[in-house]
């Protein structure tokens, strides 16, 4: 697969692999146990020039593509899924500013994120508004030169460590999702509280928090793009660009678990031979490897499509997310199976992969939502095709279609 990548892609991938092997893998089990954030890993990412690579050069970044981002996330996730998302979520948080911020907002907020000096989070979901993102209830009502924000956000990945938050709220509650606007909220804004941290099953190194807004006054300048009402579109466009990153997290987890499984079955002996020598095991490994390779192609292709400037990216981004993360769940579960009883124990590295993989099927749009996005795109794409097929149907007089 390396042969299909550009020298720039390979450079990012190799630097990330080095950080993963030298700094992430040795720390992964401890970070999982303690739930501490990998501050040393952030320093390593800085020293390897890997923070905020997706941010345009004019704002301190490297103008790297989504494919480069995915390659870095894949390598980090091979060693630890939590570190993979701790890195990728900064892209999720900053894409809204890159896509919709004013020049001043970009100049102010992007350079510290590019440098890795500040972390950012993405505040869309609420307790009662998850998959139905357009039904959010947090309000931001204009009072003079401020907006007063009230409400709460849920599932804020990076919440406990971020300095800046992209937050979606209703500026015109009567308009429903068309009344949603995006804001850039700084952590020390009075009335803004980073609340309860969730006790999560996996990705334990990254804090996932609630966010609370109690008559929180944010300056009018914090309104994304200084435009009301474009928030939902901004969030959807952001998710289209960020979902390949979650897919890459799933891909890295699957690859990492597969490598551990290969090593284990090569060494473990039963009935006088290695477990690997049994054909039943080789068939399992063949399926795992094939699924990983198929996922890799979809992840890289969806990222390339975005980097090529395509506008119709929702379907492929959703396909990459659903396929790679379902693959992550299947492969990590099979890897635990291959370790047998040891796979179920925390003394071994493999069960963590399965715990980390589970969330990738849930966040940044559940895999059911991804299928909804794909289904809607297919419905649009295939509207015109019935006319083309009409011509061919003439050759099949018995063909009655699906109608009454
Ligand atoms: N790009 C641009 N605009 C888009 C769009 C896209 N991809 N998708 C929708 N829109 C626009 C539509 O064109 C439409 O605009 P008009 O009304 O002007 O035509 C408007 O948005 C509404 O679109 P829909 O009717 O399709 O909206 P919907 O209510 O049916 O919802 C949905 C669509 C795909 C289900 C969406 O709600 C969705 O993606 N839900 C999942 C949300 C999600 O992923 N949440 C995760 C948050 S991040 C996280 O997990 C936490 C973390 O920190 C990691």
């Amino acid at each position: 697969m390396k042969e299909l990548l550009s020298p720039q892609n390979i450079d990012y991938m190799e630097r990330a692999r080095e950080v993963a092997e030298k700094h992430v893998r040795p720390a992964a089990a401890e970070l999982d146990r303690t739930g501490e954030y990998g501050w040393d890993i952030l320093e390593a990412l800085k020293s390897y020039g890997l923070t905020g690579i997706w941010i345009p050069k004019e704002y301190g970044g490297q103008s790297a593509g989504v494919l480069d981002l995915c390659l870095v996330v894949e390598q980090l996730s091979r060693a630890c899924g939590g570190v993979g998302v701790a890195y990728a979520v900064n892209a999720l948080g900053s894409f809204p500013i890159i896509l919709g911020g004013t020049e001043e907002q970009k100049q102010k907020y992007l350079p510290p994120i590019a440098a890795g000096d500040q972390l950012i989070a993405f505040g869309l979901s609420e307790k009662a508004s998850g998959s139905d993102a357009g039904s959010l209830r947090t309000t931001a009502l204009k009072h003079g030169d401020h907006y007063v924000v009230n409400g709460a956000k849920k599932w804020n990945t990076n919440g406990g460590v971020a300095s800046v938050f992209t937050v979606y709220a209703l500026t015109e509650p009567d308009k429903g999702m068309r009344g949603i606007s995006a804001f850039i909220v700084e952590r020390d804004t009075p009335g803004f509280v980073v609340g309860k941290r969730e006790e999560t099953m996996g990705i334990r190194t990254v804090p996932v928090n609630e966010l609370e807004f109690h008559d929180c006054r944010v300056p009018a300048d914090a309104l994304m793009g200084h435009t009301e009402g474009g928030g939902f579109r901004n969030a959807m466009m952001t998710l289209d660009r960020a979902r390949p990153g979650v897919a890459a997290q799933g891909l890295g987890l699957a690859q990492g678990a597969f490598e551990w499984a290969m090593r284990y079955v090569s060494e473990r002996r039963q009935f006088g031979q290695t477990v690997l020598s049994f054909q039943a095991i080789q068939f399992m490994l063949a399926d795992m490897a094939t699924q990983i390779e198929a996922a890799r192609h979809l992840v890289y292709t969806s990222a390339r499509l975005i980097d090529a400037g395509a506008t119709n990216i929702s379907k492929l981004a959703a396909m990459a997310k659903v396929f790679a993360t379902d693959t992550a769940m299947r492969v990590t579960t099979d890897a635990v199976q291959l370790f047998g009883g040891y796979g179920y124990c925390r003394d071994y590295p493999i069960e963590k992969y399965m715990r980390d993989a589970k969330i990738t099927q849930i966040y940044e749009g559940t895999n059911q939502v991804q299928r909804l996005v794909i289904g809607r795109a297919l419905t649009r794409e295939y509207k015109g095709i019935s006319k083309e097929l009409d011509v061919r149907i003439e050759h099949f007089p018995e063909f009655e279609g699906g109608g009454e």
Side-chain angles (χ1 to χ4, degrees):
M1 190 56 126
K2 215 170 160 180
E3 292 74 9
L4 300 178
L5 298 173
S6 72
Q8 175 179 312
N9 297 152
I10 293 170
D11 178 46
Y12 279 118
M13 187 178 78
E14 287 183 346
R15 276 189 279 153
R17 192 178 177 104
E18 212 170 306
V19 173
E21 293 306 330
K22 283 193 183 158
H23 301 273
V24 181
R25 208 184 282 284
E30 183 67 2
L31 295 177
D32 177 55
R33 200 180 57 72
T34 61
E36 278 170 16
Y37 188 81
W39 293 109
D40 294 346
I41 294 169
L42 179 61
E43 287 308 312
L45 287 165
K46 279 191 206 179
S47 69
Y48 277 76
L50 289 174
T51 53
I53 59 168
W54 57 89
I55 290 171
K57 282 186 179 147
E58 54 270 42
Y59 309 111
Q62 299 173 35
S63 297
V66 174
L67 177 56
D68 296 317
L69 166 66
C70 286
L71 291 165
V72 174
V73 174
E74 178 187 347
Q75 290 306 319
L76 297 177
S77 305
R78 245 181 85 239
C80 175
V83 170
V85 67
Y87 177 83
V89 78
N90 292 290
L92 176 69
S94 53
F95 280 152
I97 304 176
I98 296 171
L99 288 168
T102 63
E103 185 55 30
E104 277 170 12
Q105 287 169 336
K106 291 177 187 175
Q107 293 285 0
K108 180 173 179 189
Y109 291 106
L110 295 177
I113 296 162
D117 293 337
Q118 287 195 347
L119 302 173
I120 186 164
F122 179 80
L124 177 66
S125 302
E126 300 181 358
K127 269 186 187 156
S129 154
S131 293
D132 185 6
S135 69
L136 65 83
R137 283 279 152 263
T138 296
T139 53
L141 303 179
K142 191 146 191 214
H143 288 270
D145 58 355
H146 280 77
Y147 285 88
V148 179
V149 186
N150 277 294
K153 293 284 163 188
K154 190 85 182 161
W155 316 125
N156 198 256
T157 310
N158 240 13
V161 291
S163 307
V164 187
F165 299 77
T166 309
V167 173
Y168 296 86
L170 286 163
T171 42
E172 292 175 278
D174 300 344
K175 287 192 173 172
M177 69 169 70
R178 285 199 178 79
I180 297 173
S181 303
F183 292 87
I184 308 166
V185 179
E186 296 179 15
R187 190 186 185 92
D188 57 5
T189 311
F192 173 52
V193 179
V194 176
K196 178 192 155 204
R197 177 176 176 165
E198 306 296 342
E199 194 59 59
T200 56
M201 175 198 279
I203 61 158
R204 293 181 53 76
T205 180
V206 62
V208 179
N209 296 74
E210 290 181 358
L211 307 179
E212 300 168 21
F213 300 87
H214 305 281
D215 284 332
C216 170
R217 284 164 65 84
V218 298
D221 257 358
L223 175 68
M224 189 76 75
H226 292 174
T227 314
E228 286 190 3
F232 191 74
R233 192 176 142 77
N234 176 272
M236 292 300 111
M237 288 173 68
T238 294
L239 287 165
D240 282 345
R241 275 155 190 78
R243 282 173 179 156
V246 181
Q249 189 197 350
L251 173 61
L253 281 164
Q255 179 67 40
F258 180 78
E259 287 165 8
W260 276 115
M262 277 307 289
R263 181 181 157 162
Y264 185 78
V265 297
S266 307
E267 290 175 355
R268 170 86 171 161
R269 296 181 72 82
Q270 290 291 280
F271 305 104
Q273 52 192 329
T274 63
V275 171
L276 175 61
S277 63
F278 292 100
Q279 198 179 44
I281 301 301
Q282 289 180 15
F283 280 14
M284 260 178 95
L285 292 163
D287 283 344
M288 291 158 80
T290 306
Q291 286 160 15
I292 291 170
E293 219 46 63
R296 181 167 288 119
H297 279 274
L298 207 40
V299 174
Y300 292 6
T301 303
S302 68
R304 282 195 173 103
L305 191 73
I306 297 170
D307 292 339
T311 47
N312 57 335
I313 56 176
S314 307
K315 185 183 77 176
L316 215 61
M319 283 178 165
K321 200 273 187 185
V322 81
F323 191 82
T325 63
D326 282 354
T327 295
M329 201 63 239
R330 257 195 316 268
V331 168
T332 57
T333 305
D334 280 351
V336 168
Q337 185 71 19
L338 288 169
F339 269 72
Y342 298 105
Y344 202 63
C345 298
R346 295 213 172 177
D347 288 346
Y348 280 69
I350 205 68
E351 56 83 36
K352 175 180 181 298
Y353 281 86
M354 192 173 157
R355 285 187 286 112
D356 286 351
K358 184 62 217 172
I359 189 60
T360 66
Q361 294 180 301
I362 298 172
Y363 60 22
E364 289 196 36
T366 62
N367 283 2
Q368 286 68 30
V369 161
Q370 308 308 317
R371 289 179 169 92
L372 186 84
V373 170
I374 297 164
R376 286 180 181 182
L378 292 175
T379 310
R380 279 194 302 274
E381 278 174 32
Y382 282 82
K383 239 181 195 161
I385 202 156
S386 59
K387 283 208 168 46
E388 288 170 28
L389 290 179
D390 275 351
V391 181
R392 276 165 238 167
I393 285 172
E394 284 167 16
H395 301 293
F396 302 94
E398 296 299 312
F399 193 104
E400 290 179 3
E404 289 293 305

